[in-house]
Amino acid sequence: QVQLVESGGGLVQAGGSLRLSCAASGRTFSSYAMGWFRQAPGKEREFVAAISWSGGTTYYADSVKGRFTISRDNAKNTVYLQMNSLKPEDTAVYYCAAKLVAGTQILAKRYEYDYWGQGTQVTVSS
């Protein structure tokens, strides 16, 4: 089992940047596929980005491609989401998620993940 704690959210002006972190407990972090999702008020939680256990494969939602970068440091049990050129429509609570995997899967569906953090608020002002 793994516990996830997100940090790094906050208030930023449009065009600015933030880096979110997700710290995971447990000794087998490198065996987990990881993802970031977000949920805006009144909307369903949506996929943002995903990364394989090794970090060698990444995948992004079209809405963030070219602006966001997902990465991981398995030695630090941490996954990151670098967010650049932020827009007001990026405002949401951001969640990280984890799934124990046997291969190099990239997971982009909510139901594919077993573990979730509590979320961190990102607010982008215009």
Side-chain angles (χ1 to χ4, degrees), residues 34-120:
M34 302 295 295
W36 284 97
F37 289 74
R38 66 187 182 187
Q39 187 167 16
K43 295 188 177 181
E44 292 193 355
R45 194 171 298 187
E46 65 175 4
F47 170 76
V48 175
I51 190 166
S52 61
W53 70 267
S54 67
T57 305
T58 57
Y59 180 66
Y60 298 92
D62 287 343
S63 59
V64 306
K65 201 173 296 182
R67 300 188 297 122
F68 290 11
T69 303
I70 188 171
S71 62
R72 66 190 296 162
D73 185 337
N74 287 342
K76 295 183 178 179
N77 281 16
T78 302
V79 63
Y80 305 98
L81 186 68
Q82 177 66 44
M83 305 186 295
N84 298 329
S85 302
L86 282 161
K87 304 175 182 180
E89 51 263 44
D90 294 318
T91 295
V93 178
Y94 283 71
Y95 299 89
C96 70
K99 166 74 174 181
L100 185 65
V101 295
T104 58
Q105 296 99 312
I106 289 288
L107 307 175
K109 301 291 194 299
R110 287 176 54 185
Y111 64 82
E112 294 178 306
Y113 287 92
D114 295 323
Y115 304 101
W116 293 84
Q118 293 300 307
T120 185

